[in-house]
Amino acid sequence: MADFVGNSLKYLTIGPHDEEWGLVVTTVGTQTIEPNACYPAMQHPETYDFKPQNGRVLDEFQIVYITEGSGYFESQSMPHQVVESGTVILLFPGEQHSYAPNQQQGWHEFWIGFRGKQVEGLLSSEFLSPKEALIKIGLSNSLVALYRDAIRLAEKEKIGCQQLLAGIVMHILGHILYKNRNSRDGSNRTEDIINEARQLMRERVHHSLHAEEIANALGVGYSWFRQSFKRVTGIAPAQYIARLLTSRAKEMLISEHQTISETAYALGFESVGQFSTLFRKIEGVTPRQFRDENRLSYDKE
């Protein structure tokens, strides 16, 4: 599964036939806000854009998932709250709200916006409440995968994609409510840490990444982390990082017009030789062989 690194957003076209389904998706995307950067960082239509100091009111629901960093949230139903990594922010139509990342830390967010009778029924049945707009569920690979699936569908926007997107929205909501209502026991805590580690590895795949740094970021000992990671996933953390790097490298070699050396340095390798050695060890072919076999046209190096 490809990883979204950086920013991606989409505002969808909605037809009358889509509205009849009972739930339509209006927008979906992801963005990284670097420390000291302006927020929002991306250009949005006037009805969506806002200045955090002024807040805004939407005419739809949105689910914002913070996977890295921290910030704040406040609304007319909730006082000022700290938002940590692994928190879901529920935005309700007609509800004044404001949120933003910490200036010194920034954050990474996924979001999806939607409206329709299906979700209005959940609100009237008190499954969802503006008084409980923040839900701490931790880092969930399954939830991130759902957002990624929604982004892929929205980017192509083929006929019928609204019906599939509506199903993803209900899956996201069900996942959040399930995680929120089921307390975690000690045995799940290790799995939560490993899931958080894998998410951090995905989000930082473009950096020179070491397993020791991930353990430090999670506040656990490296020896425990290495043993637990292998027990839960079946492979060592260094191997997992290597596979992430080669997976991203394959995607770049096929779809992006960069030289092999540019790909290597973009992924944080110190040299092309180091990159080629790792790639061949995992894939059985060199980066050049892989590219020549899988891309019909590419720039000459």
Side-chain angles (χ1 to χ4, degrees):
M1 182 177 293
D3 292 289
F4 283 91
V5 179
N7 301 333
S8 175
L9 83 161
K10 176 72 175 179
Y11 290 91
L12 291 99
T13 303
I14 299 168
H17 189 62
D18 295 322
E19 300 276 8
E20 294 174 2
W21 190 256
L23 195 159
V24 293
V25 171
T26 56
T27 177
V28 62
T30 181
Q31 65 176 339
T32 298
I33 306 300
E34 300 292 346
N36 301 312
C38 294
Y39 185 78
M42 305 176 73
Q43 292 295 320
H44 299 272
E46 185 177 349
T47 53
Y48 289 90
D49 206 8
F50 79 111
K51 290 181 171 55
Q53 60 268 31
N54 299 328
R56 70 176 174 186
V57 178
L58 295 172
D59 62 358
E60 64 182 40
F61 294 88
Q62 285 196 12
I63 305 173
V64 183
Y65 183 35
I66 308 303
T67 58
E68 185 175 4
S70 65
Y72 80 90
F73 170 82
E74 59 188 23
S75 70
Q76 65 190 60
S77 298
M78 288 188 69
H80 186 96
Q81 304 278 332
V82 173
V83 174
E84 300 175 341
S85 174
T87 298
V88 170
I89 304 173
L90 301 178
L91 305 179
F92 294 83
E95 178 88 357
Q96 176 78 22
H97 65 265
S98 180
Y99 60 95
N102 184 301
Q103 276 286 305
Q104 287 72 44
Q105 190 174 14
W107 71 20
H108 187 89
E109 66 180 19
F110 290 86
W111 75 86
I112 189 165
F114 51 95
R115 65 173 188 265
K117 295 180 180 179
Q118 288 188 45
V119 72
E120 290 170 5
L122 294 176
L123 184 60
S124 62
S125 300
E126 298 184 350
F127 279 99
L128 304 172
S129 171
K131 296 180 180 179
E132 298 179 359
L134 294 185
I135 302 177
K136 178 74 173 177
I137 66 167
L139 290 172
S140 168
N141 289 325
S142 298
L143 186 54
V144 168
L146 289 170
Y147 275 102
R148 290 189 178 122
D149 288 343
I151 292 171
R152 289 190 186 90
L153 282 170
E155 286 179 339
K156 296 179 180 178
E157 202 170 357
K158 293 184 177 180
I159 295 172
C161 79
Q162 277 290 345
Q163 287 68 54
L164 287 175
L165 287 168
I168 290 176
V169 167
M170 297 305 292
H171 197 166
I172 287 174
L173 284 169
H175 184 92
I176 292 168
L177 294 174
Y178 174 84
K179 295 279 283 187
N180 188 41
R181 294 184 178 185
N182 286 273
S183 59
R184 304 180 218 175
D185 58 25
S187 62
N188 287 332
R189 179 56 184 157
T190 297
E191 186 174 336
D192 289 340
I193 292 174
I194 301 308
N195 283 335
E196 186 174 354
R198 290 193 291 185
Q199 182 59 33
L200 288 175
M201 290 172 179
R202 287 190 176 98
E203 291 177 350
R204 301 178 185 181
V205 69
H206 278 70
H207 304 282
S208 298
L209 188 62
H210 300 283
E212 293 91 340
E213 297 171 351
I214 296 296
N216 290 335
L218 297 172
V220 298
Y222 176 63
S223 178
W224 177 90
F225 173 69
R226 185 181 66 251
Q227 294 174 6
S228 299
F229 192 99
K230 188 169 184 178
R231 177 167 54 82
V232 172
T233 67
I235 62 174
Q239 291 177 300
Y240 188 85
I241 292 172
R243 292 185 182 184
L244 281 179
L245 286 167
T246 52
S247 177
R248 179 61 181 138
K250 289 195 299 183
E251 181 182 323
M252 294 171 69
L253 289 168
I254 293 174
S255 63
E256 299 181 15
H257 293 277
Q258 293 183 324
T259 65
I260 291 173
S261 60
E262 287 172 338
T263 300
Y265 293 125
L267 291 172
F269 288 92
E270 296 180 357
S271 68
V272 177
Q274 183 189 42
F275 168 57
S276 297
T277 298
L278 177 65
F279 192 97
R280 184 166 188 170
K281 179 179 179 181
I282 293 177
E283 297 298 327
V285 295
T286 67
R288 188 183 300 276
Q289 289 172 323
F290 175 84
R291 186 191 62 180
D292 292 352
E293 293 171 2
N294 291 276
R295 200 171 79 188
L296 295 178
S297 62
Y298 57 90
D299 295 334
K300 295 290 185 181
E301 296 184 2

